Amino acid sequence: MMNKITILGSGTSTGVPILGCKCGICQSKDPRNNRLRSSALLELTSKKNILIDASPDLRAQLLRARTDSLNGVIITHDHADHTHGIDDLRAFSFERTSEIPVYTDPHCMNSLTMKFPYIFQREKIFAQRPILGGGIPHLELHPILPGLNVVCDEEFHFFSLPHGYGSTLSFIHRRLGYIIDCVEISQEALDFFSNAKLEILVIDCLRYDPHQTHLHFDKTLRYIEMISPRLAILTHMGHEIDYLDIINQLKRRGIKNVIPAIDGQSFLYS
Ligand SMILES: [Zn+2]
Ligand SMILES: [Zn+2]
């Protein structure tokens, strides 16, 4: 038995195609150029299912993955493309009486509490008037600090990496590395990632040109070379990246351990 990660969405914040965009990639007939917003699912040998981020496309993504239960959720940071599907977790509260734990850093805990008061300030909001109708997601926030943390009885090593005015949690779980939405990787994190003998590294790769808040192709490839995982999977891609074109670019450079993600694809790790 092995652990499994499924890329639920490999797109940047707009998704691909972008609404109304007439570019060749948004108009492409190749389904590998269709990218939902960034989420992933871990199905562990311990039988636990852990969701990474709650993208606005979450319902469609979990239907496609045939997920019928979740034991926990990790939120990497508070941006809309990683959090605004959180209400879809409601469906998992119908059958269970306990709260689903949501693990994130203290800044994001605060931000989620302000953005979704009906979920995270439930006692206050519904103190005078009971909840009527379809119910709300029953979620409970748990703080993550950089370093070793226990998530659903499994050890995860977290790192806080710079992303715009804030930061994003990246992590190592056994032989899996996950690095999303960051503009660079600190030396300390790089040391951990490269010492972890990763089988799978999922990593941010927004586009070919440099960007203010994200890794871009050349920078992503430099980091992959330093970390040297068995297989690296590029994700959080925008409409600048055509699936076949990026495959050809990797081939021309003689790079064999890097592939672009396709939505719905799964990978095993020990
Ligand atoms: Zn994002
Ligand atoms: Zn486009």
Side-chain angles (χ1 to χ4, degrees):
M1 277 286 283
M2 293 185 84
N3 299 294
K4 182 165 98 172
I5 179 166
T6 302
I7 308 297
L8 299 176
S10 63
T12 188
S13 56
T14 52
V16 183
I18 297 177
L19 284 172
C21 184
K22 301 284 185 278
C23 84
I25 291 153
C26 288
Q27 300 289 319
S28 160
K29 297 253 182 309
D30 187 341
R32 295 170 297 186
N33 283 327
N34 289 342
R35 304 178 183 120
L36 297 178
R37 268 67 67 83
S38 185
S39 273
L41 179 70
L42 306 183
E43 291 166 272
L44 306 183
T45 53
S46 61
K47 302 282 175 211
K48 300 259 167 79
N49 292 344
I50 301 175
L51 177 70
I52 315 297
D53 287 330
S55 98
D57 299 312
L58 193 61
R59 176 177 169 277
Q61 293 172 324
L62 293 177
L63 280 172
R64 184 195 269 178
R66 298 173 188 275
T67 307
D68 53 17
S69 70
L70 282 180
N71 301 91
V73 180
I74 293 170
I75 300 288
T76 60
H77 64 300
D78 67 357
H79 286 171
D81 54 326
H82 298 256
T83 58
H84 282 196
I86 203 159
D87 192 71
D88 287 340
L89 297 173
R90 197 153 61 98
F92 299 118
S93 297
F94 295 157
E95 300 274 309
R96 60 187 275 169
T97 47
S98 57
E99 317 276 316
I100 300 174
V102 174
Y103 302 87
T104 192
D105 66 30
H107 168 82
C108 184
M109 279 176 65
N110 195 37
S111 169
L112 291 176
T113 304
M114 305 307 273
K115 276 208 284 190
F116 304 104
Y118 76 100
I119 301 175
F120 297 110
Q121 301 182 54
R122 188 170 86 214
E123 278 78 13
K124 200 166 107 194
I125 300 278
F126 298 108
Q128 306 300 329
R129 304 195 297 176
I131 300 166
L132 298 176
I136 60 172
H138 284 222
L139 309 175
E140 188 176 76
L141 292 167
H142 292 259
I144 291 291
L145 294 174
L148 215 51
N149 290 256
V150 175
V151 169
C152 297
D153 303 323
E154 296 267 336
E155 281 191 356
F156 282 70
H157 199 129
F158 284 93
F159 306 88
S160 183
L161 301 180
H163 181 47
Y165 291 113
S167 62
T168 299
L169 289 171
S170 65
F171 64 80
I172 296 169
H173 172 251
R174 297 172 185 259
R175 295 293 166 86
L176 168 75
Y178 195 86
I179 300 174
I180 197 94
D181 290 61
C182 63
V183 72
E184 63 185 16
I185 305 174
S186 63
Q187 189 56 49
E188 190 217 348
L190 263 181
D191 291 343
F192 273 98
F193 278 99
S194 46
N195 287 330
K197 298 190 172 62
L198 296 179
E199 291 162 3
I200 300 290
L201 172 65
V202 177
I203 186 165
D204 190 16
C205 181
L206 180 71
R207 63 185 192 190
Y208 297 113
D209 291 332
H211 188 268
Q212 278 188 321
T213 64
H214 279 274
L215 298 181
H216 64 283
F217 192 51
D218 284 334
K219 201 169 179 183
T220 302
L221 290 181
R222 280 202 298 277
Y223 283 133
I224 292 171
E225 210 182 329
M226 290 184 226
I227 296 171
S228 82
R230 193 184 296 166
L231 181 66
I233 296 143
L234 309 178
T235 194
H236 213 291
M237 294 175 287
H239 71 153
E240 297 86 352
I241 294 181
D242 173 69
Y243 182 84
L244 281 179
D245 177 62
I246 200 168
I247 291 265
N248 285 331
Q249 294 211 36
L250 291 163
K251 211 178 272 174
R252 256 182 269 129
R253 295 181 190 212
I255 298 169
K256 295 200 172 81
N257 67 331
V258 181
I259 56 171
I262 299 172
D263 284 18
Q265 234 177 357
S266 298
F267 302 90
L268 300 176
Y269 65 97
S270 53

